[in-house]
């Protein structure tokens, strides 16, 4: 299940993140960021919670300007601590 | 005889076929607005912009791809640079042979920002007299990398070192050199690089780029939608969005991507060598005519392949018109938007006629040009 989101500041950074997610073998799909989550970039990368550690590694590797990771929480989204 | 186009310093023509094809593909196969929608076509547009930004980053060895932004041309890039960091009371050092793309924004700041000139004629070291120009309010050195009037090429590395030594920003107008001379932002110590995309990079008119050194920040000149942080009335802090308000010129970006790829495939050295051969052939051909005055700065390696000339007793405008009407030769005559340069080389106020070949100019075309000027000069 794709229950996680990675949100970045700009379109540029989101595309960079796509490249690094791919390199780290993370299955993701680019989606429009839910309105309930702040307003940084309009796009987000959706992936499964199984991939969260790989996603964190990708963010570190690419020195990606991550806004935040989110996890599905009922109808909404909850911020995940990125540590 | 078909058109002989010798005005490549204004805009390059023709463009490589791959550029024409790329524009067609961007219109037919992509078409959507980058940075806006979430559907697949919009994402294809995003990716095209992303790839072009990365390519430009490699092309100029820019330290931060997020700080490589697309602009509506070299003029806009320069305006964004100068307006983006100067404050009232600041002082600038500008090298000679400037284009109005630099001098008019500075003219608009007259009384608020002061300017000193660094004179250099292409011979001798450029740092002579530099220290005497620096004041406690000096913020930057602005250099026109190569003159669009006589082709004089300024030594970036030396200027970069000077700027660093005095704690100044180095701002480079690379309108005439991008795609012709290797520019390396890190090696050359460039803080702000202003690029025209439609000359040596084979993009289309109305496109350019601005690349900032690591940590260099500019206030945006133009504000508007970016597709990000849309619930704020302020421009985002994050680059490139901070400097890219409004819809991007997707076809223009596709064009410069294909253009840069073509330049990389051929190589700037090969392009420079081929064009220099043409310029030298024309210069030597014109040298044999009496009554032709040539503006060709003296030292090898300190020049790009274009030059100016005048004919005794003839108005450069008339020479330009006659070359067009009688020989179908396109040369630009007049002041070339660069009064400063003409003042320096002594061709103000009449101006000159300019010979600016392209990579696709042939030797035969140059010979026809030389013959035509010979006839006009009475030889
Ligand atoms: C030296 C120089 N600076 C700036 C410009 C302006 O560039 P653009 O036409 O892309 O606005 C030009 C050419 O037009 C130029 O030759």
């Amino acid at each position: 299940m794709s229950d996680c989101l990675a949100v970045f500041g700009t379109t540029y950074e989101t595309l960079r993140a796509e490249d690094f997610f791919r390199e780290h073998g993370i299955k993701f799909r680019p989606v429009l960021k839910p309105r309930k989550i702040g307003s940084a970039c309009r796009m987000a990368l959706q992936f499964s919670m199984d991939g969260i550690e790989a996603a964190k590694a990708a963010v570190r590797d690419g020195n990606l300007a991550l806004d935040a990771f989110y996890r599905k929480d009922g109808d909404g989204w909850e911020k995940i601590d990125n540590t | 005889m078909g058109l002989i186009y010798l005005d490549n310093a204004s805009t390059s023509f023709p463009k490589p076929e791959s550029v024409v094809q790329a524009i067609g593909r961007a219109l037919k196969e992509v078409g959507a607005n980058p940075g806006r929608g979430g559907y697949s076509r919009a994402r294809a547009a995003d990716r095209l912009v992303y790839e072009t930004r990365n390519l430009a980053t490699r092309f100029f060895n820019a330290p931060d791809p997020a700080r490589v932004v697309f602009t509506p041309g070299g003029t806009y890039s320069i305006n964004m640079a100068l307006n983006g960091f100067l404050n009232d009371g600041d002082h600038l050092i500008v090298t000679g042979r400037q284009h109005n793309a630099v001098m008019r924004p500075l003219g608009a700041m007259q009384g608020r920002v002061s300017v000193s000139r660094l004179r250099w004629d292409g011979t001798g070291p450029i740092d002579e007299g530099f220290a005497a120009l620096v004041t406690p309010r000096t913020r930057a050195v602005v250099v026109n990398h190569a003159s669009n009037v006589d082709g004089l090429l300024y030594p970036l590395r030396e200027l970069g070192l000077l700027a660093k030594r005095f704690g100044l920003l180095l701002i480079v107008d690379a309108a005439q050199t991008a795609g012709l001379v290797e520019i390396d932002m890190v090696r050359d110590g460039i803080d702000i690089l202003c690029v025209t995309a439609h000359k040596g990079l084979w993009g289309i008119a109305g496109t350019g780029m601005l690349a900032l050194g690591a940590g260099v920040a500019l206030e945006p000149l133009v504000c508007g939608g970016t597709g990000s942080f849309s619930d704020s009335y302020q421009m985002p802090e994050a680059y490139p969005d901070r400097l890219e308000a409004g819809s991007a010129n997707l076809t223009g970006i596709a064009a410069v991507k294909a253009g840069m790829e073509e330049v990389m495939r051929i190589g700037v050295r090969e392009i420079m060598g081929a064009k220099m051969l043409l310029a030298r052939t024309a210069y030597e051909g014109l040298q044999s005519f009496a009554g032709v005055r040539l503006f060709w700065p003296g030292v090898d390696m300190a020049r790009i392949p274009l030059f100016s000339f005048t004919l005794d007793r003839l108005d450069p405008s008339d020479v330009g018109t006659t070359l067009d009407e009688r020989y179908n030769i396109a040369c630009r005559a007049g002041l070339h938007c660069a009064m400063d340069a003409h003042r320096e080389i002594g061709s103000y106020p009449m101006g000159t006629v300019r010979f600016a070949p392209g990579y696709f100019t042939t030797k035969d075309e140059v010979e026809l040009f030389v013959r035509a000027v010979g006839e006009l000069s009475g030889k």
Side-chain angles (χ1 to χ4, degrees):
Chain A
M1 205 183 94
S2 292
D3 46 6
C4 275
L5 286 178
V7 178
F8 300 88
T10 59
T11 303
Y12 175 75
E13 204 61 13
T14 309
L15 286 160
R16 226 158 71 74
E18 286 187 16
D19 289 348
F20 278 93
F21 272 38
R22 238 174 253 123
E23 252 177 49
H24 280 254
I26 304 165
K27 283 215 172 88
F28 67 91
R29 63 184 185 114
V31 295
L32 275 175
K33 181 176 56 53
R35 283 296 310 149
K36 286 180 180 161
I37 296 176
S39 72
C41 179
R42 74 196 189 291
M43 298 299 292
L45 305 185
Q46 190 167 26
F47 59 100
S48 151
M49 190 65 193
D50 300 345
I52 187 72
E53 288 312 317
K56 285 178 181 176
V59 166
R60 275 196 304 276
D61 251 29
N63 198 16
L64 300 170
L66 177 77
D67 202 47
F69 286 122
Y70 293 87
R71 165 196 220 154
K72 188 105 187 117
D73 177 27
D75 280 350
W77 294 88
E78 181 196 7
K79 218 179 226 183
I80 304 177
D81 189 19
N82 177 34
T83 48
Chain B
M1 183 71 205
L3 168 72
I4 298 178
Y5 183 80
L6 297 173
D7 195 18
N8 288 274
S10 288
T11 197
S12 52
F13 176 84
K15 307 295 182 189
E17 186 52 32
S18 61
V19 170
V20 178
Q21 302 271 333
I23 292 169
R25 274 200 309 279
L27 282 172
K28 285 190 213 153
E29 295 166 24
V30 185
N33 203 348
R36 304 298 187 267
Y39 46 90
S40 58
R41 276 298 183 99
R43 285 191 288 107
D46 286 347
R47 194 142 273 278
L48 180 55
V49 175
Y50 173 75
E51 286 170 359
T52 311
R53 204 183 302 282
N54 287 344
L55 185 66
T57 303
R58 290 199 297 281
F59 197 94
F60 297 111
N61 195 23
D64 181 1
R67 283 167 203 254
V68 175
V69 302
F70 297 104
T71 70
T75 301
Y76 276 77
S77 303
I78 293 164
N79 274 265
M80 288 165 71
L82 295 175
N83 287 282
F85 83 99
L86 283 171
N87 296 311
D88 285 4
D90 283 348
H91 171 252
L92 287 179
I93 297 172
V94 300
T95 58
R97 308 254 205 302
Q98 292 289 349
H99 189 274
N100 280 342
V102 166
M103 296 318 289
R104 283 189 172 161
L106 293 181
M109 297 179 200
Q110 207 169 14
R112 293 187 285 124
V113 168
S114 57
V115 174
S116 299
R117 311 285 174 118
L118 179 69
R119 299 271 170 220
W120 186 66
D121 65 358
T123 60
I126 197 159
D127 53 359
E128 242 167 10
F130 188 89
L133 300 178
V134 180
T135 77
R137 299 303 303 259
T138 309
R139 299 277 315 276
V141 188
V142 187
V143 57
N144 177 8
H145 191 189
S147 168
N148 59 315
V149 173
D150 71 346
L152 181 65
L153 179 69
Y154 284 74
L156 284 191
R157 246 183 283 188
E158 280 86 334
L159 287 167
L161 289 172
L162 276 175
K164 187 154 290 145
R165 183 169 0 132
F166 290 94
L168 313 175
L169 294 181
L170 178 63
I171 303 177
V172 178
D173 173 359
Q176 292 297 334
T177 52
L180 183 63
V181 179
E182 197 188 294
I183 296 173
D184 181 318
M185 284 187 72
V186 176
R187 179 197 65 196
D188 300 336
I190 300 171
D191 296 291
I192 306 181
L193 181 67
C194 304
V195 174
T196 290
H198 60 94
K199 303 183 198 271
L201 296 181
W202 282 322
I204 54 177
T207 58
M209 290 179 276
L210 177 66
L212 307 182
V216 175
L218 292 181
E219 284 304 312
L221 179 66
V222 178
C223 300
T226 57
S228 56
F229 300 96
S230 300
D231 55 5
S232 167
Y233 290 146
Q234 303 304 317
M235 285 297 281
E237 291 292 328
Y239 291 82
D241 296 19
R242 185 162 181 73
L243 299 180
E244 286 186 346
S247 296
N249 178 351
L250 187 74
T251 41
I253 289 169
V256 73
K257 176 169 183 281
M260 282 189 289
E261 283 165 351
E262 191 65 7
V263 171
M264 284 164 119
R265 192 183 65 73
I266 300 168
V268 285
R269 270 163 216 261
E270 154 66 22
I271 293 172
M272 175 66 116
K275 286 173 63 166
M276 195 57 93
L277 197 63
L278 298 169
R280 191 166 274 287
T281 305
Y283 170 73
E284 282 166 5
L286 265 51
Q287 257 185 332
S288 61
F289 305 135
V292 178
R293 186 169 169 214
L294 290 155
F295 301 86
W296 169 278
V299 180
D300 272 359
M301 307 306 296
R303 178 191 313 126
I304 60 165
L306 64 84
F307 66 88
S308 267
F309 65 96
T310 53
L311 300 184
D312 274 359
R313 291 183 300 279
L314 288 180
D315 183 325
S317 304
D318 293 337
V319 175
T321 304
T322 310
L323 284 173
D324 174 40
E325 286 179 352
R326 205 182 293 168
Y327 303 96
N328 204 11
I329 293 174
C331 276
R332 183 167 168 198
L335 291 181
H336 310 94
C337 299
M339 172 174 73
D340 256 38
H342 284 284
R343 278 187 193 277
E344 275 203 343
I345 68 174
S347 52
Y348 184 79
M350 287 302 275
T352 57
V353 185
R354 181 177 64 190
F355 174 84
Y359 185 66
F360 302 114
T361 304
T362 65
K363 200 159 172 288
D364 286 352
E365 289 177 326
V366 173
E367 276 163 13
L368 286 168
F369 161 81
V370 170
R371 210 176 308 149
V373 176
E375 282 176 20
L376 294 184
S377 73
K379 293 292 136 210

